[in-house]
Amino acid sequence: MMRLRPFFSLILAQWPWIALASSLSMLAIAHGFERFAGLAPCALCLHQREAYWIAAAIAALALIARRMEGAEMTNRALNLLLTFAFVGGAIVAGFHMGVEYKWWPGLPSCTAAGGGAVPTDLLGSLNQPIHVVACDEAAWVFLGLSMAGWNMLISLKLAIYSGLSVLYPRGLTEKSDV
C-alpha cells in the first residue's frame, strides 16, 4: 500500500484536471465509437453522455476556483458536485445495462427498431420514417460487459476518486486535515 500512496496522492491532488480529462476522453471515445465504428447511440447512450458534459463543466469551474485565494471550501463543494455527477452517470449507465440484459424495461423512447445510419440526402430523408436505435440491444460487448456496463464501472471509479478528493483535497498526506 505504501507504494500506491504517492500515486493516489497525485491523483487526488490533481483531481479537477484528471476529472476534466477523463470526462472529455469518455465523450471522445463515445464519439469515436459512433463515428468510426458506425455504432449509432440510443436514447440512453445519449443520456449517459450528459453526465460527462456536466462533470467537465464542474471540473472546469473547479480549475478556475483553485486559482482563487481561500477557496478551499469551494473546491471541496465542486469536488462533491463531481461526485454527484459521476454517481448520476453510473446510475444511468447501470439502468441502461439492465435494459440491455432485459432485467427491466427501458424508456418509451428506447423501444424502436434498430437503424442508425445518417442519410447523405437529408432533405430526401425527411419523408422517410425515423429509425431509432433500440436501447435493449448491446451494440458492443467486451469481456461480457456492454458499453453501458463499462461506462458504469468507469463512472463509479470516477465517483470514488471525486469523493476521496473531497476528503483529501491536497492528496494523501501524512497529516490529514480531516
Side-chain angles (χ1 to χ4, degrees):
M1 180 64 181
M2 293 306 286
R3 290 183 186 167
L4 293 177
R5 189 176 190 94
F7 173 73
F8 287 120
S9 186
L10 177 67
I11 287 174
L12 296 178
Q14 299 301 320
W15 183 245
W17 283 108
I18 295 170
L20 179 62
S22 298
S23 296
L24 295 177
S25 295
M26 290 298 289
L27 289 166
I29 290 167
H31 183 69
F33 271 106
E34 182 179 341
R35 179 80 172 158
F36 301 114
L39 301 177
C42 69
L44 284 174
C45 293
L46 295 174
H47 285 308
Q48 289 175 78
R49 295 179 192 183
E50 292 169 3
Y52 291 112
W53 284 112
I54 291 167
I58 295 168
L61 287 174
L63 289 171
I64 293 168
R66 286 182 122 199
R67 302 183 69 75
M68 297 179 194
E69 289 290 323
E72 178 82 19
M73 291 306 291
T74 303
N75 288 323
R76 285 183 179 210
L78 289 169
N79 285 339
L80 185 62
L81 286 175
L82 278 172
T83 305
F84 293 145
F86 289 129
V87 166
I91 290 170
V92 173
F95 177 76
H96 189 188
M97 187 176 75
V99 170
E100 289 175 338
Y101 290 115
K102 314 287 192 270
W103 294 339
W104 45 72
L107 301 174
S109 60
C110 290
T111 57
V118 176
T120 55
D121 179 21
L122 293 177
L123 287 177
S125 67
L126 290 176
N127 293 329
Q128 299 174 358
I130 297 173
H131 297 287
V132 179
V133 177
C135 297
D136 62 350
E137 296 176 17
W140 180 85
V141 176
F142 180 68
L143 298 176
L145 281 179
S146 64
M147 277 192 272
W150 286 107
N151 187 19
M152 183 185 73
L153 293 177
I154 292 167
S155 292
L156 284 174
K157 180 192 81 162
L158 294 171
I160 289 168
Y161 280 133
S162 294
L164 287 173
S165 71
V166 173
L167 298 175
Y168 305 101
R170 292 185 200 100
L172 299 172
T173 58
E174 292 299 321
K175 293 182 180 180
S176 176
D177 54 355
V178 176

